[in-house]
Amino acid sequence: MATSMVSQPEEITAGSYVGFDIHRPPSTLYRPVSLRSIATPLTSLIPSAITRQIEFKLVKRGFQFNVMVVGQTGLGKSTLINTLFASHLVESKGRTEPEVAPRATTEIHPQSHVIVENGVKLRLNIIDTPGYGDQINNDGCWDPIVKYIKDQHSAYLRKELTAMRDRFIPDTRIHCCLFFINPTGHTLKPIDIVVLKKLAEVVNVVPVIAKADSLTLEEREVFKQRVMSEMLHNQIRLYPFDSEDNDEEELQLNERIREMLPFAVVGSERTVVIDGKPVRGRKNRWGVINCEDERHCEFVYLRNFLTRTHLQDLIETTAQIHYETFRSKQLLALKESSAKAQQASQA
Amino acid sequence: MAEGHYDQSVSNGSIPHPRDHTPTARPHPTPIQSQSQSQAQAPVIRKKLASWVGFSNLPNQVHRRAMRRGFHFVTMVVGESGLGKSTLINTLFETKLYGPKSVPQPGQDRGKTVQIESTSAEIEENGVRLKLTVVDTPGFGDFVNNDESWKPIVDNIEARFDAYLEQENRVNRSKLVDNRVHACIYFIQPTGHALKPIDVEFMRRLHTKVNLIPVIAKSDTLTEEEVVLFKQRILADIAHHGIQIFQPPQYENEDEETIQENEEIISKVPFAVVGSDSLVNSQDGRQVRGRAYPWGTIEVDNEAHCDFVKLRQMLVRTHMEELREHTNEILYENYRTEKLRAMGVMQDETVFKETNPAVKQAEERAMHEAKLAKMEAEMKMVFQQKVQEKEQKLKQSEEELYSRHREMKEALEKQRLELEDKKRRIESGRPLTPEKGTKKRFGIGK
């Protein structure tokens, strides 16, 4: 379990515009804010000076976002992360030399980075899981992952419960888990179903169809339908969740996102020139794929979803739903065990 | 120095081959004494014909016979589900051998083991009939635990060998049906990194039993550079593990064109293929077999786009007969030898050698003595083993005795202490059982 992060990772600027600086406070006084933690319907009416102050504080502290990528080897996880944040953050962990033995278990590799955009600091923690699903017998390959997620909750809980706790507890809980699905075109594999069930109970899961350039548009539609019906049948709860305090607009947005799940993405760190403009894409003998073109793949939707619209919500849902569930379970268990010990000592 | 005898003189004007052993007075290099020479019946003399005889028509006779009989080709396709195996077979033979796949519904039981399904079709082209059998292996690599997923496949291949072996041993061998697997196309997932452990394990188990042809499935997700790198890594992995994939053999007396074709094919292994059994409109308006994406159309039959043409060439046009020959002569023979040897059938080498009685007697005596010596050594070993066992047993019982003695001593000691304790208590006037009050202290402090 590696909970230690690099204490002061150097700040990097993204290669191109990512967009999380949308969380910066507005310059005028009466613009409605995007922070939902204090967003009530009255916000657009009352002067947003109060909300601005709160926002300023939050922006000064910077945002902390922890994302985990889970998927078989060779699905383009590292490339997608690098494409999402427009910088080379993660190295591909694939095996390229025949002498190197393949990994025997799922390993957890956390990495910390700080990206700055327009004065907004985003502290990013990326947890890679090489070795997942790579062995011949993949029984239990999800255990290290679930354990790591629970360990982060547990560490936070412990810090919370100490008598002299820090003013600001560093948040290492996983806010989002990107699950990469193999683009077979048929349906989910048995191992995917098992792991998705286990992960959806402890973390926000966002499924993604990797290497979507191997599916034509019709195949993509059919595949998505099958995947979602499979998830529905197995009662896998996917993010975004709807809650009572979401307003009409947010519910609609969530509905639109849900229709698009899972995102069919293509990642690329290399730039190609299309119509004279350099964009990130892949070039073949028969065509050029533009990652940022909505007609080609849904990368743009995924990026907006993760960094622009739902960043704060992901963090909150982790804190309010997953962490609270974990916390109540833990405290109940603690109370039970102490009651049992009392009983045993009295007997 | 058995030179053999010549039953044909060279006086009819033919020009002897320089390597002949002719009895003329012309000085010639001394013939090389080779083992085969002493065993062969007669050395080969190459002759030049004076006029046309007509046996150059033999290939046509073989051709006519083969056309009459028809051809039978069995290929196996192995790979995880969703890699395009059925589509590729349909594309290779331009016939919808496999209909659209029935995808399991959510909640439907997907089985626990690899299944073996065989589909046959008779196709005809220009009067040549081909009975094509494709053996599919659904379920391979699809479960959470894929241990031993190659076992049903290996068993199937060996069962086919066994069936052929049994047919060969029949009294009436006129109807020999060859159902052995001639080629196994293994589909590799286009990760871009290297082979996965299941790929390596499968290939290691099967490369001695079947002609392995690895292909990179759905290769339209890889760019050109990625394909080149991936192929290099795959070949490095294959070499590292000593896996023998099917190599088109090279013969010396082939023409330039064939040699070059062969080289091109070999250079593209493993083939990066794309399959499609539907027609789409290409960029310049033609109707081609391919896949239409928003960013372009990939044509299956275009050599610049993928290696499908090369795979088809190797599998169907040029090397189908090679594959069958290799299966029959090398893979099947090896299997047969191993199997018969395992059954205890010994090859009687004396059939080939000329017998020399004196030498044979000496040999027999030596063998006999060796056997005796071996028996003696064995008996000595058995004796030693027995002695060791007895020693062990004795040691064990000794230890047991010791431990029992120790236990009894301890029990005695304990009893003594207890009694002394009781004595002390009685003398100091305290009750024998502990009070209830001491317990409370534990509860508060917690």
Side-chain angles (χ1 to χ4, degrees):
Chain A
M1 167 177 110
T3 46
S4 59
M5 294 187 286
V6 179
S7 50
Q8 282 304 331
E10 52 174 280
E11 301 188 350
I12 28 182
T13 319
S16 71
Y17 181 62
V18 180
F20 57 82
D21 67 341
I22 208 173
H23 302 284
R24 181 186 193 75
S27 49
T28 67
L29 206 52
Y30 286 93
R31 196 145 350 135
V33 299
S34 58
L35 279 178
R36 237 163 323 118
S37 56
I38 43 177
T40 68
L42 297 171
T43 319
S44 44
L45 302 176
I46 61 170
S48 45
I50 308 169
T51 50
R52 250 187 59 185
Q53 289 173 37
I54 302 175
E55 269 197 82
F56 263 125
K57 278 242 156 159
L58 280 169
V59 168
K60 195 170 76 169
R61 202 184 298 152
F63 293 89
Q64 169 82 44
F65 189 54
N66 306 326
V67 61
M68 178 183 251
V69 281
V70 176
Q72 283 182 340
T73 190
L75 284 182
K77 306 185 285 291
S78 314
T79 312
L80 186 70
I81 290 287
N82 294 343
T83 323
L84 268 174
F85 296 103
S87 0
H88 189 82
L89 303 174
V90 193
E91 282 293 334
S92 165
K93 310 260 181 345
R95 181 178 75 96
T96 48
E97 300 295 317
E99 297 85 34
V100 175
R103 290 170 219 262
T105 66
T106 313
E107 297 170 5
I108 307 280
H109 288 205
Q111 263 183 307
S112 290
H113 299 275
V114 179
I115 315 184
V116 181
E117 196 172 63
N118 281 348
V120 180
K121 210 179 356 176
L122 177 69
R123 254 172 289 148
L124 198 59
N125 216 9
I126 302 165
I127 295 100
D128 201 354
T129 55
Y132 164 83
D134 286 345
Q135 297 93 38
I136 299 178
N137 182 357
N138 288 315
D139 253 333
C141 66
W142 52 86
D143 285 334
I145 301 176
V146 176
K147 182 174 181 301
Y148 183 78
I149 297 175
K150 289 202 175 147
D151 283 341
Q152 304 315 304
H153 284 309
S154 165
Y156 194 87
L157 181 65
R158 237 176 293 134
K159 289 237 172 81
E160 243 192 5
L161 286 180
T162 52
M164 296 284 297
R165 61 182 182 182
D166 306 326
R167 189 147 67 107
F168 179 54
I169 307 173
D171 188 4
T172 57
R173 304 168 293 189
I174 311 291
H175 301 131
C176 172
C177 177
L178 287 173
F179 188 84
F180 284 70
I181 302 174
N182 208 316
T184 58
H186 293 322
T187 179
L188 282 181
K189 294 192 170 204
I191 186 176
D192 293 338
I193 300 176
V194 169
V195 178
L196 274 169
K197 264 200 217 162
K198 296 228 182 280
L199 284 180
E201 293 167 8
V202 288
V203 74
N204 298 324
V205 176
V206 177
V208 162
I209 299 179
K211 294 199 171 178
D213 53 345
S214 75
L215 297 169
T216 61
L217 291 182
E218 306 89 41
E219 292 170 351
R220 195 192 284 181
E221 269 316 306
V222 173
F223 187 45
K224 277 196 192 188
Q225 275 175 19
R226 292 207 189 115
V227 165
M228 290 315 276
S229 73
E230 191 76 52
M231 302 232 218
L232 197 64
H233 176 90
N234 287 292
Q235 292 161 347
I236 297 171
R237 249 181 108 215
L238 293 173
Y239 185 85
F241 316 118
D242 279 330
S243 66
E244 310 80 43
D245 40 63
N246 282 3
D247 59 5
E248 218 10 79
E249 205 185 298
E250 284 156 4
L251 283 173
Q252 269 187 7
L253 182 62
N254 282 356
E255 193 54 43
R256 270 203 304 239
I257 300 280
R258 256 192 293 264
E259 277 169 23
M260 237 189 299
L261 284 182
F263 296 103
V265 294
V266 176
S268 171
E269 292 192 62
R270 276 177 265 146
T271 32
V272 293
V273 178
I274 300 183
D275 295 335
K277 277 191 305 164
V279 287
R280 273 159 318 154
R282 292 167 65 75
K283 189 166 189 321
N284 276 321
R285 285 255 183 98
W286 55 92
V288 185
I289 308 170
N290 184 353
C291 293
E292 315 207 11
D293 189 341
E294 284 118 33
R295 296 165 300 175
H296 288 188
C297 72
E298 294 167 355
F299 169 76
V300 179
Y301 298 121
L302 174 68
R303 185 192 54 196
N304 292 351
F305 168 75
L306 269 187
T307 56
R308 296 183 199 182
T309 54
H310 285 77
L311 182 75
Q312 191 59 23
D313 190 52
L314 280 165
I315 302 176
E316 274 174 35
T317 316
T318 312
Q320 286 167 5
I321 301 186
H322 296 292
Y323 175 66
E324 287 301 315
T325 320
F326 176 83
R327 188 172 177 279
S328 46
K329 270 201 218 145
Q330 281 293 101
L331 292 181
L332 274 172
L334 261 177
K335 218 163 71 172
E336 262 186 38
S337 68
S338 74
K340 268 205 207 125
Q342 230 181 15
Q343 271 187 357
S345 63
Q346 278 173 358
Chain B
M1 206 173 130
E3 286 244 21
H5 54 279
Y6 309 90
D7 46 9
Q8 275 185 32
S9 71
V10 293
S11 57
N12 60 358
S14 65
I15 306 164
H17 195 270
R19 276 191 284 170
D20 279 353
H21 317 294
T22 51
T24 61
R26 272 193 292 124
H28 61 90
T30 48
I32 307 157
Q33 277 300 315
S34 62
Q35 189 70 1
S36 58
Q37 194 195 348
S38 57
Q39 287 180 8
Q41 297 94 337
V44 175
I45 307 174
R46 302 242 176 120
K47 303 207 153 274
K48 195 148 178 252
L49 301 171
S51 68
W52 189 72
V53 177
F55 58 79
S56 58
N57 199 34
L58 271 170
N60 289 341
Q61 299 175 20
V62 176
H63 180 250
R64 283 219 322 267
R65 188 184 62 185
M67 294 278 282
R68 234 190 4 247
R69 281 229 211 108
F71 295 86
H72 186 197
F73 187 65
V74 180
T75 178
M76 186 179 251
V77 282
V78 185
E80 294 180 22
S81 84
L83 283 181
K85 304 188 287 291
S86 317
T87 313
L88 188 70
I89 292 292
N90 287 353
T91 322
L92 266 174
F93 295 101
E94 305 243 9
T95 142
K96 280 230 172 16
L97 197 64
Y98 287 109
K101 216 26 154 300
S102 64
V103 179
Q105 296 298 315
Q108 195 181 20
D109 181 30
R110 297 197 208 181
K112 297 269 180 328
T113 55
V114 178
Q115 307 295 318
I116 307 279
E117 288 169 14
S118 171
T119 321
S120 278
E122 268 223 24
I123 42 185
E124 188 181 320
E125 186 184 61
N126 283 353
V128 180
R129 282 174 299 126
L130 173 68
K131 178 157 182 254
L132 176 68
T133 306
V134 181
V135 183
D136 199 358
T137 55
F140 178 79
D142 285 342
F143 309 111
V144 177
N145 181 356
N146 291 313
D147 270 340
E148 306 276 309
S149 49
W150 48 81
K151 203 159 176 317
I153 302 175
V154 173
D155 287 344
N156 186 277
I157 295 179
E158 291 188 348
R160 289 168 188 263
F161 278 160
D162 284 338
Y164 193 78
L165 185 63
E166 195 250 340
Q167 277 182 48
E168 272 190 340
N169 290 337
R170 266 195 256 159
V171 175
N172 187 350
R173 295 199 302 183
S174 50
K175 288 202 106 6
L176 269 187
V177 176
D178 185 6
N179 264 332
R180 301 169 290 188
V181 177
H182 302 126
C184 174
I185 308 179
Y186 187 76
F187 287 70
I188 302 173
Q189 214 190 344
T191 60
H193 296 318
L195 286 180
K196 299 211 281 199
I198 192 175
D199 299 336
V200 171
E201 194 56 38
F202 176 84
M203 289 207 247
R204 266 192 33 221
R205 303 258 170 181
L206 258 84
H207 65 130
T208 49
K209 304 223 179 340
V210 74
N211 294 317
L212 264 181
I213 304 176
V215 298
I216 302 176
K218 295 197 170 180
S219 63
D220 50 349
T221 78
L222 299 169
T223 61
E224 265 184 80
E225 309 91 40
E226 290 169 354
V227 166
V228 168
L229 263 179
F230 192 34
K231 284 189 184 181
Q232 275 175 13
R233 291 182 187 146
I234 293 178
L235 290 173
D237 259 336
I238 286 178
H240 183 251
H241 290 273
I243 295 169
Q244 292 158 356
I245 54 177
F246 175 70
Q247 298 282 356
Q250 310 266 44
Y251 300 117
E252 313 90 35
N253 51 353
E254 283 189 25
D255 51 347
E256 264 304 313
E257 205 185 297
T258 325
I259 294 183
Q260 197 178 15
E261 259 183 37
N262 268 354
E263 274 177 16
E264 272 185 36
I265 290 180
I266 295 178
S267 71
K268 294 276 181 158
V269 172
F271 302 106
V273 296
V274 176
S276 168
D277 45 10
S278 47
L279 293 170
V280 293
N281 285 324
S282 77
Q283 256 113 353
D284 33 4
R286 293 171 289 133
Q287 278 262 314
V288 285
R289 286 192 310 176
R291 293 169 63 73
Y293 294 107
W295 49 86
T297 309
I298 177 172
E299 298 166 35
V300 164
D301 294 306
N302 189 335
E303 283 209 45
H305 287 189
C306 70
D307 295 335
F308 171 76
V309 174
K310 285 271 177 299
L311 171 68
R312 182 179 57 191
Q313 207 172 344
M314 187 184 95
L315 198 59
V316 180
R317 292 190 188 165
T318 47
H319 289 92
M320 194 182 260
E321 196 51 39
E322 291 287 345
L323 287 162
R324 281 208 311 170
E325 233 182 83
H326 195 255
T327 311
N328 190 27
E329 285 170 20
I330 302 186
L331 301 173
Y332 171 68
E333 288 302 315
N334 285 344
Y335 175 76
R336 187 174 170 278
T337 315
E338 298 249 346
K339 179 140 193 209
L340 293 180
R341 207 173 276 165
M343 291 202 317
V345 174
M346 299 297 306
Q347 175 66 55
D348 192 10
E349 298 284 342
T350 60
V351 176
F352 301 129
K353 261 207 290 231
E354 297 178 352
T355 55
N356 187 344
V359 173
K360 199 140 197 263
Q361 258 196 359
E363 266 184 33
E364 274 185 18
R365 207 181 311 140
M367 258 179 47
H368 186 74
E369 279 178 30
K371 223 195 299 182
L372 282 174
K374 210 168 90 173
M375 270 177 47
E376 209 186 315
E378 263 180 39
M379 293 209 302
K380 263 207 194 123
M381 252 186 55
V382 170
F383 174 68
Q384 275 203 16
Q385 221 181 343
K386 289 235 164 83
V387 166
Q388 263 190 0
E389 275 179 29
K390 199 65 192 224
E391 264 187 38
Q392 279 258 25
K393 275 210 195 115
L394 285 170
K395 250 198 224 156
Q396 238 185 329
S397 49
E398 197 187 340
E399 283 210 25
E400 271 180 31
L401 267 169
Y402 271 139
S403 64
R404 217 165 341 134
H405 171 81
R406 251 182 291 135
E407 271 179 39
M408 287 186 19
K409 224 170 107 177
E410 276 176 20
L412 260 165
E413 191 61 35
K414 227 170 81 174
Q415 275 193 354
R416 192 171 66 81
L417 284 172
E418 266 182 35
L419 282 171
E420 279 195 33
D421 192 41
K422 279 201 181 138
K423 191 167 122 193
R424 256 186 287 127
R425 281 234 182 83
I426 292 175
E427 285 177 9
S428 66
R430 276 217 256 141
L432 280 171
T433 54
E435 298 168 11
K436 281 230 164 120
T438 50
K439 273 288 180 176
K440 280 243 178 67
R441 245 177 275 139
F442 289 80
I444 295 175
K446 209 173 167 125

